[in-house]
Short mmCIF file of all heavy atoms in Angstrom, two decimals:
data_model
loop_
_atom_site.label_atom_id
_atom_site.label_comp_id
_atom_site.label_asym_id
_atom_site.label_seq_id
_atom_site.Cartn_x
_atom_site.Cartn_y
_atom_site.Cartn_z
N LEU I 562 -10.21 4.44 10.99
CA LEU I 562 -9.95 3.11 11.56
C LEU I 562 -8.75 3.16 12.51
O LEU I 562 -7.62 3.42 12.07
CB LEU I 562 -9.68 2.11 10.43
CG LEU I 562 -9.22 0.71 10.83
CD1 LEU I 562 -10.29 -0.01 11.64
CD2 LEU I 562 -8.84 -0.10 9.59
N GLU I 563 -8.98 2.93 13.77
CA GLU I 563 -7.93 2.77 14.78
C GLU I 563 -6.80 3.78 14.60
O GLU I 563 -5.61 3.42 14.55
CB GLU I 563 -7.39 1.32 14.75
CG GLU I 563 -8.48 0.31 15.09
CD GLU I 563 -7.98 -1.12 15.16
OE1 GLU I 563 -6.83 -1.31 15.62
OE2 GLU I 563 -8.71 -2.05 14.78
N THR I 564 -7.17 5.03 14.50
CA THR I 564 -6.22 6.11 14.28
C THR I 564 -6.58 7.31 15.13
O THR I 564 -7.69 7.83 15.01
CB THR I 564 -6.19 6.54 12.79
OG1 THR I 564 -5.78 5.44 11.98
CG2 THR I 564 -5.24 7.71 12.57
N ASP I 565 -5.66 7.74 15.98
CA ASP I 565 -5.80 9.01 16.67
C ASP I 565 -5.16 10.07 15.79
O ASP I 565 -3.93 10.15 15.69
CB ASP I 565 -5.12 8.95 18.04
CG ASP I 565 -5.22 10.28 18.79
OD1 ASP I 565 -5.90 11.21 18.30
OD2 ASP I 565 -4.63 10.39 19.89
N LEU I 566 -5.97 10.86 15.13
CA LEU I 566 -5.45 11.83 14.16
C LEU I 566 -4.49 12.82 14.81
O LEU I 566 -3.55 13.30 14.17
CB LEU I 566 -6.61 12.57 13.49
CG LEU I 566 -7.53 11.70 12.63
CD1 LEU I 566 -8.76 12.48 12.20
CD2 LEU I 566 -6.79 11.17 11.41
N PHE I 567 -4.71 13.14 16.07
CA PHE I 567 -3.84 14.10 16.76
C PHE I 567 -2.49 13.49 17.10
O PHE I 567 -1.53 14.22 17.37
CB PHE I 567 -4.53 14.62 18.03
CG PHE I 567 -5.74 15.46 17.75
CD1 PHE I 567 -6.98 14.89 17.62
CD2 PHE I 567 -5.61 16.84 17.57
CE1 PHE I 567 -8.11 15.66 17.35
CE2 PHE I 567 -6.72 17.61 17.30
CZ PHE I 567 -7.98 17.04 17.18
N TYR I 568 -2.38 12.19 17.10
CA TYR I 568 -1.10 11.52 17.29
C TYR I 568 -0.36 11.43 15.96
O TYR I 568 0.87 11.49 15.93
CB TYR I 568 -1.33 10.10 17.84
CG TYR I 568 -0.07 9.32 18.08
CD1 TYR I 568 0.67 9.46 19.25
CD2 TYR I 568 0.41 8.40 17.13
CE1 TYR I 568 1.84 8.74 19.48
CE2 TYR I 568 1.57 7.67 17.34
CZ TYR I 568 2.28 7.85 18.52
OH TYR I 568 3.44 7.14 18.73
N ARG I 569 -1.11 11.36 14.87
CA ARG I 569 -0.50 11.13 13.55
C ARG I 569 -0.09 12.42 12.85
O ARG I 569 0.83 12.42 12.04
CB ARG I 569 -1.48 10.38 12.65
CG ARG I 569 -1.91 9.03 13.17
CD ARG I 569 -0.79 8.04 13.13
NE ARG I 569 -1.19 6.74 13.66
CZ ARG I 569 -0.39 5.69 13.76
NH1 ARG I 569 0.85 5.79 13.35
NH2 ARG I 569 -0.82 4.56 14.26
N THR I 570 -0.79 13.50 13.12
CA THR I 570 -0.49 14.74 12.42
C THR I 570 -0.66 15.92 13.37
O THR I 570 -1.09 15.74 14.51
CB THR I 570 -1.39 14.89 11.17
OG1 THR I 570 -0.94 15.99 10.39
CG2 THR I 570 -2.84 15.10 11.55
N ASP I 571 -0.33 17.11 12.92
CA ASP I 571 -0.37 18.26 13.81
C ASP I 571 -1.81 18.65 14.15
O ASP I 571 -2.76 18.27 13.45
CB ASP I 571 0.37 19.45 13.19
CG ASP I 571 -0.29 19.92 11.89
OD1 ASP I 571 -1.17 20.79 11.96
OD2 ASP I 571 0.08 19.38 10.82
N LYS I 572 -1.96 19.41 15.21
CA LYS I 572 -3.28 19.73 15.75
C LYS I 572 -4.14 20.47 14.73
O LYS I 572 -5.35 20.19 14.59
CB LYS I 572 -3.12 20.57 17.02
CG LYS I 572 -4.44 20.89 17.71
CD LYS I 572 -4.20 21.65 19.00
CE LYS I 572 -5.52 21.96 19.70
NZ LYS I 572 -5.31 22.70 20.97
N ASN I 573 -3.57 21.42 14.00
CA ASN I 573 -4.36 22.20 13.03
C ASN I 573 -4.90 21.31 11.91
O ASN I 573 -6.07 21.44 11.51
CB ASN I 573 -3.52 23.33 12.45
CG ASN I 573 -3.20 24.40 13.47
OD1 ASN I 573 -3.93 24.56 14.45
ND2 ASN I 573 -2.11 25.13 13.26
N THR I 574 -4.06 20.42 11.41
CA THR I 574 -4.50 19.53 10.33
C THR I 574 -5.60 18.59 10.82
O THR I 574 -6.61 18.39 10.14
CB THR I 574 -3.31 18.72 9.79
OG1 THR I 574 -2.31 19.61 9.30
CG2 THR I 574 -3.75 17.79 8.67
N ALA I 575 -5.40 18.01 12.01
CA ALA I 575 -6.39 17.07 12.55
C ALA I 575 -7.72 17.77 12.83
O ALA I 575 -8.79 17.26 12.47
CB ALA I 575 -5.85 16.43 13.83
N THR I 576 -7.65 18.95 13.44
CA THR I 576 -8.88 19.69 13.77
C THR I 576 -9.60 20.11 12.50
O THR I 576 -10.83 19.98 12.39
CB THR I 576 -8.55 20.92 14.62
OG1 THR I 576 -7.87 20.50 15.82
CG2 THR I 576 -9.81 21.68 15.00
N GLY I 577 -8.85 20.61 11.52
CA GLY I 577 -9.46 21.03 10.27
C GLY I 577 -10.13 19.87 9.54
O GLY I 577 -11.24 20.01 9.01
N PHE I 578 -9.48 18.72 9.55
CA PHE I 578 -10.04 17.53 8.91
C PHE I 578 -11.38 17.16 9.55
O PHE I 578 -12.38 16.95 8.86
CB PHE I 578 -9.05 16.37 9.01
CG PHE I 578 -9.56 15.06 8.48
CD1 PHE I 578 -9.40 14.75 7.14
CD2 PHE I 578 -10.20 14.15 9.31
CE1 PHE I 578 -9.88 13.54 6.63
CE2 PHE I 578 -10.68 12.95 8.82
CZ PHE I 578 -10.51 12.65 7.47
N LEU I 579 -11.39 17.08 10.86
CA LEU I 579 -12.61 16.65 11.57
C LEU I 579 -13.73 17.67 11.44
O LEU I 579 -14.91 17.30 11.31
CB LEU I 579 -12.28 16.40 13.05
CG LEU I 579 -11.35 15.20 13.32
CD1 LEU I 579 -10.82 15.23 14.74
CD2 LEU I 579 -12.08 13.89 13.04
N ASN I 580 -13.39 18.94 11.45
CA ASN I 580 -14.43 19.98 11.36
C ASN I 580 -15.05 20.05 9.97
O ASN I 580 -16.23 20.41 9.82
CB ASN I 580 -13.84 21.35 11.72
CG ASN I 580 -13.55 21.46 13.21
OD1 ASN I 580 -14.09 20.70 14.01
ND2 ASN I 580 -12.70 22.41 13.59
N ARG I 581 -14.28 19.70 8.95
CA ARG I 581 -14.78 19.82 7.58
C ARG I 581 -15.58 18.61 7.13
O ARG I 581 -16.30 18.67 6.13
CB ARG I 581 -13.60 20.05 6.62
CG ARG I 581 -12.91 21.40 6.82
CD ARG I 581 -11.83 21.64 5.77
NE ARG I 581 -11.10 22.87 6.03
CZ ARG I 581 -9.87 22.93 6.54
NH1 ARG I 581 -9.24 21.81 6.82
NH2 ARG I 581 -9.30 24.09 6.75
N CYS I 582 -15.43 17.50 7.84
CA CYS I 582 -16.20 16.31 7.47
C CYS I 582 -17.67 16.51 7.84
O CYS I 582 -18.00 17.04 8.91
CB CYS I 582 -15.65 15.08 8.20
SG CYS I 582 -14.06 14.50 7.58
N GLN I 583 -18.55 16.03 6.95
CA GLN I 583 -19.97 16.10 7.27
C GLN I 583 -20.28 15.21 8.47
O GLN I 583 -20.97 15.62 9.41
CB GLN I 583 -20.78 15.65 6.06
CG GLN I 583 -22.29 15.74 6.26
CD GLN I 583 -23.05 15.15 5.09
OE1 GLN I 583 -22.79 14.03 4.67
NE2 GLN I 583 -23.98 15.93 4.55
N LYS I 584 -19.77 14.00 8.46
CA LYS I 584 -19.90 13.07 9.58
C LYS I 584 -18.56 12.32 9.71
O LYS I 584 -17.85 12.09 8.72
CB LYS I 584 -21.01 12.06 9.36
CG LYS I 584 -22.42 12.65 9.33
CD LYS I 584 -22.89 13.06 10.73
CE LYS I 584 -24.33 13.58 10.69
NZ LYS I 584 -24.77 14.06 12.03
N THR I 585 -18.26 11.93 10.94
CA THR I 585 -17.05 11.15 11.18
C THR I 585 -17.40 9.93 12.02
O THR I 585 -18.02 10.06 13.09
CB THR I 585 -15.98 11.98 11.90
OG1 THR I 585 -15.83 13.24 11.27
CG2 THR I 585 -14.65 11.25 11.88
N ILE I 586 -17.00 8.75 11.54
CA ILE I 586 -17.22 7.49 12.26
C ILE I 586 -15.86 6.96 12.66
O ILE I 586 -14.99 6.74 11.80
CB ILE I 586 -17.95 6.47 11.37
CG1 ILE I 586 -19.28 7.05 10.87
CG2 ILE I 586 -18.18 5.17 12.13
CD1 ILE I 586 -19.91 6.23 9.76
N LEU I 587 -15.66 6.76 13.96
CA LEU I 587 -14.37 6.29 14.47
C LEU I 587 -14.50 4.89 15.03
O LEU I 587 -15.37 4.61 15.86
CB LEU I 587 -13.86 7.23 15.57
CG LEU I 587 -12.58 6.80 16.29
CD1 LEU I 587 -11.37 6.84 15.35
CD2 LEU I 587 -12.32 7.68 17.52
N LEU I 588 -13.62 3.98 14.59
CA LEU I 588 -13.50 2.66 15.19
C LEU I 588 -12.17 2.63 15.94
O LEU I 588 -11.11 2.73 15.31
CB LEU I 588 -13.52 1.56 14.13
CG LEU I 588 -14.78 1.42 13.27
CD1 LEU I 588 -14.69 2.29 12.03
CD2 LEU I 588 -14.98 -0.04 12.88
N ASP I 589 -12.22 2.53 17.27
CA ASP I 589 -10.98 2.55 18.02
C ASP I 589 -11.17 1.87 19.37
O ASP I 589 -12.29 1.49 19.74
CB ASP I 589 -10.46 3.98 18.20
CG ASP I 589 -8.93 4.03 18.16
OD1 ASP I 589 -8.28 3.01 18.43
OD2 ASP I 589 -8.38 5.12 17.84
N THR I 590 -10.05 1.74 20.09
CA THR I 590 -10.04 0.94 21.31
C THR I 590 -10.05 1.77 22.59
O THR I 590 -10.58 1.33 23.61
CB THR I 590 -8.80 0.04 21.33
OG1 THR I 590 -7.62 0.87 21.24
CG2 THR I 590 -8.81 -0.91 20.14
N LEU I 591 -9.45 2.96 22.54
CA LEU I 591 -9.28 3.78 23.73
C LEU I 591 -9.71 5.22 23.48
O LEU I 591 -9.62 5.71 22.35
CB LEU I 591 -7.81 3.79 24.15
CG LEU I 591 -7.27 2.65 25.00
CD1 LEU I 591 -5.75 2.62 24.92
CD2 LEU I 591 -7.71 2.79 26.44
N GLU I 592 -10.14 5.88 24.54
CA GLU I 592 -10.38 7.31 24.45
C GLU I 592 -9.06 8.00 24.11
O GLU I 592 -8.02 7.69 24.66
CB GLU I 592 -10.89 7.87 25.78
CG GLU I 592 -12.29 7.44 26.14
CD GLU I 592 -12.74 8.02 27.48
OE1 GLU I 592 -12.20 9.08 27.86
OE2 GLU I 592 -13.57 7.41 28.14
N ASN I 593 -9.12 8.95 23.18
CA ASN I 593 -7.94 9.73 22.85
C ASN I 593 -8.40 11.12 22.41
O ASN I 593 -9.58 11.47 22.57
CB ASN I 593 -7.12 9.03 21.75
CG ASN I 593 -7.96 8.65 20.54
OD1 ASN I 593 -8.75 9.45 20.05
ND2 ASN I 593 -7.79 7.42 20.06
#
Side-chain angles (χ1 to χ4, degrees):
L562 173 63
E563 298 184 36
T564 299
D565 179 5
L566 295 171
F567 293 89
Y568 180 83
R569 300 291 179 181
T570 189
D571 63 90
K572 184 177 180 180
N573 291 335
T574 301
T576 302
F578 176 88
L579 293 167
N580 289 341
R581 293 185 185 104
C582 288
Q583 182 186 51
K584 293 287 183 184
T585 312
I586 303 168
L587 174 67
L588 298 89
D589 216 337
T590 58
L591 276 162
E592 290 180 25
N593 52 46

